[in-house]
Amino acid sequence: MIWGTAAQKVSQQNHTDEHLDLAIYYPKIDAFLTQINSIILDKQQQTKLALCSLLASGHLLFEDLPGLGKTTLASSLSRLAGLDFQRIQFTNDMLASDVIGINMFNQKEHQFEFKYGPIFTQILLADEINRCSPKTQSALLEAMEEGNVTVDGTRYELPKPFWVIATQNPLFQS
């Protein structure tokens, strides 16, 4: 019973120390949210959730009407966080290789070389993802889950952090 009590005290102390350690980040987080909310108006809840997702290494799907700041929010998050940013406008004729990249034959060197796609960034905006085929959407799954992509049996690591922000218009707008 003494061991259980001591373990509880250590656990409480560690929890308190973690809380104090996290407290030093609150002013930075508030400053970040203030900056982004000065760019994206009337979306405080969405910006807070987006930042939480970024800090938790998650991915986002924004669904909203056209012209309401989804793309601006994604690019602003990357700019304020100092991360590389790429945007892909998804269309119904897009292929997985348009997202990931492709092995191309180099005639000078007489060998194949990999041409990196736009997925090789820290923040990827997959704009209007619901317009492309499920096969093309699935090209993002390995990247989102494992932080790498595989092309012709070769594995390519993605930059860290890697975060996907996907947008889609409501179904009645598509």
Side-chain angles (χ1 to χ4, degrees):
M1 200 56 134
I2 294 173
W3 183 83
T5 307
Q8 288 175 341
K9 286 183 180 178
V10 169
S11 175
Q12 290 171 350
Q13 183 179 3
N14 286 343
H15 182 70
T16 304
D17 291 344
E18 288 173 8
H19 180 64
L20 292 175
D21 290 342
L22 290 176
I24 64 171
Y25 295 106
Y26 292 149
K28 292 178 182 179
I29 291 170
D30 281 341
F32 189 92
L33 288 171
T34 299
Q35 285 181 319
I36 199 137
N37 286 325
S38 69
I39 298 167
I40 308 295
L41 304 176
D42 297 327
K43 300 243 184 217
Q44 287 83 10
Q45 184 68 18
Q46 290 88 336
T47 57
K48 191 178 286 187
L49 289 172
L51 181 58
C52 287
S53 178
L54 175 63
L55 294 174
S57 299
H59 304 284
L60 289 174
L61 174 63
F62 287 130
E63 181 180 86
D64 209 346
L65 296 170
L68 295 179
K70 299 181 297 286
T71 302
T72 304
L73 175 57
S75 64
S76 298
L77 279 170
S78 66
R79 192 172 45 252
L80 289 172
L83 301 173
D84 292 331
F85 175 78
Q86 290 285 329
R87 177 183 177 269
I88 303 173
Q89 179 65 50
F90 281 85
T91 59
N92 58 355
D93 60 346
M94 186 169 239
L95 302 173
S97 60
D98 295 329
V99 176
I100 295 172
I102 192 167
N103 278 319
M104 295 186 70
F105 188 71
N106 182 334
Q107 291 182 343
K108 286 184 180 178
E109 303 291 326
H110 298 290
Q111 63 184 7
F112 283 93
E113 59 184 44
F114 185 67
K115 298 292 182 183
Y116 292 88
I119 200 168
F120 288 89
T121 188
Q122 292 175 307
I123 294 183
L124 176 69
L125 174 61
D127 212 1
E128 297 183 4
I129 196 167
N130 54 325
R131 290 187 171 203
C132 70
S133 70
K135 186 174 183 177
T136 304
Q137 290 176 9
S138 69
L140 293 172
L141 295 179
E142 178 185 5
M144 291 168 61
E145 180 64 28
E146 299 175 18
N148 62 64
V149 296
T150 305
V151 177
D152 295 336
T154 304
R155 185 176 168 164
Y156 299 92
E157 293 291 323
L158 294 170
K160 303 263 188 285
F162 176 72
W163 192 40
V164 174
I165 302 174
T167 68
Q168 68 180 28
N169 294 329
L171 292 177
F172 63 86
Q173 286 285 321
S174 297

